[in-house]
Amino acid sequence: MSPARGEIGSSFERRPSCNVEDWRKPACQPISPLAGEMSGRTEGGAKDHCGRAYSFRTEAFFCSAFIASPTPAFAHASDRGHVLLLPTGYYVAGGALAVAASFLVLALLPPDFPARFWRRRLPLFAFGDGARAIVSLASFAGFAILVAAGLFGSRDPLSNPLPLAIWTLLWVGLVLLQGLFGNLWSWLSPWYGPWRVVSRLFGKREIVNRKTWRPPPWLGCWPAVVLFFAFAWFELIDPAPDDPARLAWAAGLYWLLSFAAMLVFGYRDWSRRGEFLTVFLAMVARFALLERNEGGRNEGGRLSLCWPGAKLSDAAPLSLSGIAFLLLALSSVSFDGLSKTFFWLGLFGINPLEVPGRTAVMGIGTFGLVLTFVLLAAAFILAIVLGQHLAGSPHSLRQAAGLLVWSIVPIALAYHVAHYLTALLVDGQYAVTALSDPFALGWDLFGTADIRIEAGVAAGAGSAWWLWNIQAGVIIIGHMLAVLVAHGLAWRLHPIPARAALSQLPLTVLMIAYTVFGLWLLATPSAG
């Protein structure tokens, strides 16, 4: 078994291709020690290409000195190995003013501006769904190989492709692509292809077009909410989410349970109600720049280029469970950043420079994960109630909240990208290397097994400057687009311009406050 993430200070596993005598080889040269902290996937320090680990503390950013004894780490994808020395007050003030200014500009524009803005389309081309099952089957085969690698491959999370594929390529890379190019997951889902094969193999057409055993309407997508919370807890609180074998069992069992539910309730119903990845990624795809207009059953859908958020213009109000799901998606990422800050750790008397292992803070982490969701949900509902009161709205709170909660989508996507950007840049390189040798047998399937990891892309003063500016810009732009989306949705609730603007005042204040909070999370010292 590999050490639990954040519990062990260092590891000394070597790749078979690197021996002690090979230290002069380029592939076995050490990388910057900041790489491990930036990626967060090490067990307390960075590793060179032979698997040798280096242990260090936060003070290394200031004095660049190695220490001999290993230190406990609270590792995660977004951990920073330095304290950002930038005039963050200007960024925070500028971000807040940008969001406020976007609201004022929209309030002065013609009331139908969002509708005319979103209607614009640039037709591209059409394609059908004929290969969808084949792509899904290939995705399932890749998933099966990754699970096998988790069970029988290297115990090092930076050498085993399963943790890197799930926590970096899927949870970071695919979410980003989904937000840019649309619902790629509908093709890449590892359930659709096997479900089609089973339905055809047993000759049960009713499995494809099931009319019975549908989930009751009152259930909504509460199963997806529960499963998403379990996923967030496993990622953020569990002692060893990076352990390949532990992750393989969790991923494999989840696939089996979801597949069984799809056979019982139908693929369409369960994927929209219970399978949290499909629910989350479908919501993210609403923000994409590409839109596919579905044709008939045997016709291909036409792909068009559209403005960000245009697909939210005709979105139906979400149910209470849908509201909870979107707010949980945003609050979990926010708590991920908050839980590492000196501020949060200081509340519980924890020295941020000597953070204990994850098992010692499981109770605190669980409490914080729930508290962040409750506070965000309360603030959102309060903003909607106040907005409805100011506008004298005849609509119910459930209808208004269910529609306006869609404005959370660009915020959630922006936080997701900004928060996990360092993981994508550094751990993404490890993923490319590990995929070429999934079972640590010395293979080089894609010619990338011995590439040199460029840790400098996310380490050092120069990289920190442009990286933080990109993250801050993504958060600010996400909130500005959220204001645009909320303005368009408010116009659907209140056709009178003055009432639409008044209804948005409290929600805009909440967005400004969350912009300040997000930028503070990026800038404040955190335990790495």
Side-chain angles (χ1 to χ4, degrees):
M1 290 291 291
S2 71
R5 182 168 73 171
E7 293 282 341
I8 306 299
S10 61
S11 171
F12 292 90
E13 180 180 349
R14 290 189 176 91
R15 288 193 177 185
S17 60
C18 293
N19 300 315
V20 175
E21 294 80 11
D22 297 332
W23 66 272
R24 291 186 177 87
K25 294 181 179 180
C28 297
Q29 291 295 312
I31 60 175
S32 168
L34 287 177
E37 292 243 351
M38 293 301 294
S39 70
R41 293 302 179 186
T42 60
E43 310 303 326
K47 296 182 181 180
D48 66 9
H49 290 268
C50 296
R52 291 183 288 269
Y54 297 90
S55 179
F56 47 90
R57 301 176 62 172
T58 306
E59 295 94 328
F61 176 75
F62 300 101
C63 63
S64 302
F66 292 103
I67 59 174
S69 60
T71 59
F74 198 69
H76 189 61
S78 62
D79 291 349
R80 297 191 302 273
H82 55 81
V83 176
L84 191 63
L85 302 177
L86 291 174
T88 54
Y90 295 102
Y91 287 92
V92 172
L97 289 175
V99 176
S102 63
F103 168 77
L104 294 176
V105 170
L106 288 172
L108 296 174
L109 289 175
D112 61 342
F113 171 76
R116 291 188 288 107
F117 177 76
W118 279 332
R119 276 198 299 266
R120 297 179 180 274
R121 297 290 190 276
L122 177 62
L124 299 177
F125 54 87
F127 64 94
D129 284 336
R132 181 183 173 189
I134 297 176
V135 173
S136 177
L137 286 171
S139 176
F140 168 71
F143 172 76
I145 293 173
L146 288 173
V147 170
L151 293 173
F152 307 110
S154 170
R155 300 276 62 83
D156 179 7
L158 284 177
S159 298
N160 194 297
L162 179 64
L164 294 164
I166 290 181
W167 300 126
T168 303
L169 300 184
L170 171 64
W171 190 233
V172 184
L174 183 60
V175 171
L176 174 59
L177 294 177
Q178 191 91 349
L180 289 175
F181 302 116
N183 200 359
L184 303 176
W185 180 251
S186 64
W187 286 60
L188 296 175
S189 169
W191 289 283
Y192 179 74
W195 173 78
R196 294 285 299 187
V197 169
V198 170
S199 65
R200 301 295 184 184
L201 186 63
F202 289 93
K204 295 182 179 180
R205 295 285 300 181
E206 65 272 16
I207 294 181
V208 181
N209 300 303
R210 179 175 289 278
K211 302 299 182 182
T212 59
W213 291 93
R214 290 178 180 264
W218 57 264
L219 189 62
C221 61
W222 285 114
V225 175
V226 174
L227 290 171
F228 190 91
F229 181 84
F231 170 81
W233 189 94
F234 181 76
E235 180 198 8
L236 306 178
I237 314 299
D238 185 85
D242 268 349
D243 178 71
R246 187 183 184 91
L247 184 58
W249 279 107
L253 288 175
Y254 178 72
W255 186 94
L256 287 173
L257 291 175
S258 298
F259 188 67
M262 290 171 183
L263 292 178
V264 173
F265 299 110
Y267 176 83
R268 181 184 179 91
D269 281 335
W270 187 253
S271 63
R272 291 188 172 189
R273 295 170 178 253
E275 206 290 289
F276 75 91
L277 276 174
T278 302
V279 175
F280 176 73
L281 291 171
M283 289 179 171
V284 169
R286 288 269 194 163
F287 190 65
L289 300 173
L290 295 177
E291 179 184 45
R292 186 169 182 259
N293 298 320
E294 301 295 337
R297 183 174 179 181
N298 297 317
E299 300 176 8
R302 177 164 293 278
L303 203 64
S304 301
L305 191 65
C306 62
W307 291 105
K311 288 181 283 187
L312 295 173
S313 61
D314 59 349
L318 288 175
S319 63
L320 181 61
S321 58
I323 296 172
F325 187 92
L326 265 179
L327 294 175
L328 178 61
L330 176 57
S331 65
S332 62
V333 178
S334 298
F335 175 70
D336 189 8
L338 177 65
S339 64
K340 313 302 189 304
T341 63
F342 286 15
F343 168 77
W344 173 262
L345 296 172
L347 290 178
F348 302 95
I350 299 175
N351 183 353
L353 300 181
E354 295 290 344
V355 180
R358 287 170 67 108
T359 53
V361 294
M362 288 179 63
I364 296 173
T366 304
F367 168 75
L369 184 61
V370 174
L371 179 64
T372 307
F373 168 73
V374 171
L375 292 178
L376 176 61
F380 175 78
I381 296 300
L382 179 61
I384 300 300
V385 170
L386 291 177
Q388 293 291 92
H389 178 73
L390 289 174
S393 175
H395 301 285
S396 66
L397 173 62
R398 185 169 183 174
Q399 183 180 8
L403 189 61
L404 292 173
V405 76
W406 281 113
S407 62
I408 297 294
V409 172
I411 298 176
L413 178 59
Y415 271 98
H416 201 93
V417 173
H419 183 68
Y420 295 115
L421 182 59
T422 55
L424 184 62
L425 293 175
V426 178
D427 288 357
Q429 299 179 65
Y430 282 104
V432 172
T433 301
L435 288 172
S436 200
D437 186 13
F439 296 96
L441 297 176
W443 298 351
D444 194 4
L445 300 177
F446 308 111
T448 58
D450 294 320
I451 64 171
R452 185 177 181 86
I453 305 300
E454 295 294 339
V457 71
S463 297
W465 185 88
W466 69 260
L467 184 62
W468 199 89
N469 276 280
I470 291 177
Q471 291 173 312
V474 167
I475 288 179
I476 294 171
I477 292 173
H479 280 81
M480 293 174 65
L481 290 173
V483 171
L484 173 62
V485 171
H487 186 80
L489 296 175
W491 174 250
R492 289 173 53 183
L493 291 172
H494 311 286
I496 301 177
R499 288 189 176 184
L502 285 174
S503 70
Q504 289 307 291
L505 276 175
L507 189 57
T508 302
V509 172
L510 175 61
M511 291 179 178
I512 292 173
Y514 222 87
T515 302
V516 173
F517 176 64
L519 295 176
W520 174 79
L521 283 180
L522 289 178
T524 191
S526 65

